Amino acid sequence: MARIAIVTDSNSGINQAAGKELGISVLPMPFYIDGALFLEDITLSQEAFYEYLERDADISTSQPALGDVTALWDKLLADHDEIVHIPMSSGLSSSCQSALMLADDYGGRVQVVNNQRISITQRRSVLDAIQLAGQGKTAAEIREELERRKFESSIYICLETLKYLKKGGRITPAAAAIGTVLGLKPVLQIQGEKLDAYAKVRGKKAARKTMIDALRKDLDARFAQEWAAGTVRLDIAYSGNPEEAEDWKRELAEAFPGQTFHMDPLSLSVSCHIGYGALAAAISVVV
């Protein structure tokens, strides 16, 4: 059986410690904050990130340096036969396309998965890859299976503030001002390549109910067969508000009794565009 190494990036929500426990490698995502370079979970903690965000620091995302990617691959291939590399969605970052380009020089030994996921759904892809590798699948077979399932997931996110949608140009300043006065809480959806609007409701309570209804709709329609077969997983994410996230977890547990929810902080690459206080729920079909 081929020795398969699994690589992902910190957009998966898998930190360095969890990566070691899983037996995988996690590339830290780089951020430039007021011109200085930081690496997620190495020189940039969740707490420090939200402090910078609160201070309106100049924050921009980047992709792992190409030399760091190939250095990791070369190290892993010294004692593995193949690599499955699972970056964040190609629709949200250029890191996937860069990895695909680099893999051309590895004669098929590095398989880059373009399965359009990020955060907790990307984490599910990593767990699937580990399981498939344990079943003796080749790197190419693992990539094909994950890409076949690339649209079998969704993340729903409700926001605490409209500030960062306004800052990123996704809504106008006037719309943000009106929305703030009316207490509007947008619910966004990440499915495949895009972060899109899903609904707009008044208050966080209504937003949470909207996300639960969206999950139920998916389970009753898109994933009814997989739900009946027990191959659907529900997960939770949040941006800097773990106490509220625990309450959200309790609400979801009441809505979907018998389900076990994994919970992680949202990827900082997502959080820098939506801000502090977001809550998310994800649905993924697994192998």
Side-chain angles (χ1 to χ4, degrees):
M1 185 169 69
R3 295 166 298 172
I4 307 291
I6 309 296
V7 177
T8 190
D9 56 46
S10 57
N11 283 308
S12 63
I14 301 173
N15 60 29
Q16 298 297 318
K20 289 180 180 178
E21 291 179 7
L22 291 169
I24 67 166
S25 299
V26 181
L27 282 163
M29 294 302 293
F31 290 80
Y32 285 92
I33 302 178
D34 291 335
L37 174 64
F38 293 84
L39 298 176
E40 186 171 3
D41 192 43
I42 293 180
T43 57
L44 181 64
S45 68
Q46 289 272 326
E47 294 76 14
F49 172 83
Y50 289 108
E51 288 177 7
Y52 285 119
L53 202 65
E54 177 65 23
R55 300 205 308 256
D56 283 329
D58 181 19
I59 302 176
S60 61
T61 59
S62 187
Q63 59 174 309
L66 303 187
D68 291 343
V69 176
T70 55
L72 175 59
W73 289 355
D74 292 341
K75 178 182 176 182
L76 291 171
L77 288 173
D79 52 16
H80 291 81
D81 299 307
E82 298 177 307
I83 293 172
V84 175
H85 184 95
I86 308 172
M88 70 182 288
S89 171
S90 62
L92 299 171
S93 170
S94 59
S95 58
C96 182
Q97 293 301 327
S98 295
L100 285 165
M101 176 191 68
L102 294 173
D104 285 341
D105 294 331
Y106 283 79
R109 295 185 69 194
V110 178
Q111 296 289 320
V112 178
V113 180
N114 184 11
N115 73 330
Q116 312 289 357
R117 295 191 184 188
I118 191 172
S119 192
I120 36 184
T121 57
Q122 183 182 348
R123 175 183 176 273
R124 284 293 173 188
S125 293
V126 172
L127 298 181
D128 285 347
I130 293 170
Q131 181 176 331
L132 290 167
Q135 294 171 0
K137 302 292 186 183
T138 67
E141 288 171 337
I142 294 170
R143 176 187 57 77
E144 290 167 3
E145 178 64 14
L146 296 183
E147 290 183 349
R148 185 179 69 82
R149 297 172 174 272
K150 66 182 179 180
F151 294 123
E152 295 182 351
S153 69
S154 284
I155 303 176
Y156 299 98
I157 310 172
C158 69
L159 307 191
E160 181 63 34
T161 176
L162 297 171
K163 174 181 177 179
Y164 299 95
L165 291 184
K166 180 184 74 172
K167 188 175 181 180
R170 290 182 177 270
I171 59 172
T172 65
I178 293 171
T180 299
V181 170
L182 296 177
L184 295 179
K185 302 294 182 184
V187 176
L188 309 179
Q189 181 182 27
I190 300 178
Q191 182 181 342
E193 297 185 348
K194 297 180 180 179
L195 174 67
D196 287 324
Y198 179 79
K200 191 183 297 181
V201 296
R202 296 188 68 172
K204 202 76 167 284
K205 182 178 180 180
R208 285 161 64 151
K209 181 180 182 300
T210 296
M211 289 193 290
I212 289 173
D213 290 344
L215 293 173
R216 285 204 175 105
K217 183 178 179 181
D218 279 344
L219 295 175
D220 290 342
R222 287 177 64 202
F223 306 130
Q225 184 175 347
E226 293 84 356
W227 180 239
T231 57
V232 172
R233 298 291 180 269
L234 303 176
D235 295 305
I236 300 168
Y238 60 94
S239 59
N241 48 338
E243 292 183 359
E244 186 182 10
E246 287 291 348
D247 184 63
W248 172 226
K249 186 176 183 178
R250 287 189 288 270
E251 184 175 352
L252 282 168
E254 291 176 3
F256 301 97
Q259 294 301 302
T260 300
F261 297 88
H262 177 83
M263 187 165 72
D264 272 331
L266 266 170
S267 157
L268 296 184
S269 294
V270 175
S271 296
C272 70
H273 297 294
I274 62 176
Y276 175 90
L279 295 173
I283 185 167
S284 305
V285 176
V286 300
V287 298

